[in-house]
């Protein structure tokens, strides 16, 4: 299977910058899909227009968040159903920036996951340890706490495919990535843990955190990693293409 590359533009590209990224590079973007699965995650306001631009291409789009509620009086929220209506296929949930700045709890993440599946979209479930947990060698403990309730829901609902993005908080936006041996260890643990809980569920494991053109070759040597969640480096088209093509 080809690598899955997910561009998380966060709030770094404006509406017009996001649209320009797609309209200016539509042919090259289309060429990429022969060797890779590519998902672009702009901010909410750019999703609809970008969906139109990419309508005839195999590039898919993802949201960076959705509401934990189905519908109703929730000022400022965007429902999973609305995202599905405009052609969104993926949605990031549980990103550390949402956990830290917006109080996204596991309970809310599970509600979002269920709404996304109900609307035929794939959640990209982000998990990771913070710096302190990393230094105290408590990564597995932190990941278990975040994942266990989610996997219980998976088993209960009998979902058939899971995408997990392992993003150590301390690697995001810092220019530092974990050692390969560390990532290999975590990847083995994660794949086994999911298989134990949900043996019938297929899984794509992504790595995210300070990916760039210099370190992607090294990251691609880790066999259990199926794709990448890319922040800063995905906002520049040439760099993003370079990451996809290297290795
Ligand atoms: P950076 O690639 O900018 O470190 O961001 C990673 C990330 O948070 C992707 O979701």
């Amino acid at each position: 299977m080809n690598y899955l590359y997910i561009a998380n533009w966060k709030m770094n590209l404006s509406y017009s910058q996001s649209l320009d990224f797609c309209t200016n590079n539509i042919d090259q973007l289309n060429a990429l899909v022969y060797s890779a699965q590519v998902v672009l995650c702009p901010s909410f306001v750019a999703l609809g227009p970008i969906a139109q631009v990419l309508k005839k291409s195999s590039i898919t789009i993802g949201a960076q968040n959705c509401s934990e509620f189905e519908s109703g009086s929730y000022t400022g929220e965007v429902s999973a159903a609305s995202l599905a209506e405009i052609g969104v296929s993926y949605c990031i949930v549980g990103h550390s920036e949402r956990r830290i700045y917006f109080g996204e709890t596991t309970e809310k993440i599970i509600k979002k996951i269920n709404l996304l599946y109900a609307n035929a979209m794939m959640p990209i479930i982000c998990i990771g340890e913070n710096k302190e947990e990393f230094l105290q060698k408590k990564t597995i403990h932190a990941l278990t706490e975040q994942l266990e309730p989610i996997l219980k829901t998976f088993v209960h609902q009998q979902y058939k495919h899971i995408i997990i993005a392992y993003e150590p908080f301390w690697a995001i936006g810092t220019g530092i990535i974990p050692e390969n041996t560390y990532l290999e260890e975590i990847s083995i643990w994660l794949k086994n843990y999911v298989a134990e809980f949900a043996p019938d569920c297929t899984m794509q494991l992504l790595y995210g955190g300070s990916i760039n053109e210099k370190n992607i070759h090294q990251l691609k040597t880790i066999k259990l990693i199926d794709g990448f969640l890319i922040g800063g480096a995905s906002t520049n088209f040439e760099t993003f293409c370079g990451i996809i093509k290297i290795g």
Side-chain angles (χ1 to χ4, degrees), residues 8 10 92 95 97 167 171-174 208-211 229-233:
N8 178 9
K10 309 187 180 184
I92 297 170
H95 193 282
E97 286 151 13
E167 296 204 306
I172 295 176
T174 58
S210 291
I211 294 171
L229 181 53
I230 309 154

Side-chain angles (χ1 to χ4, degrees), residues 205-220:
L205 174 62
L206 315 182
Y207 167 77
S210 291
I211 294 171
N212 59 37
E213 279 177 296
K214 291 196 184 106
N215 58 32
I216 190 67
H217 183 72
Q218 173 195 333
L219 290 166
K220 284 184 181 174

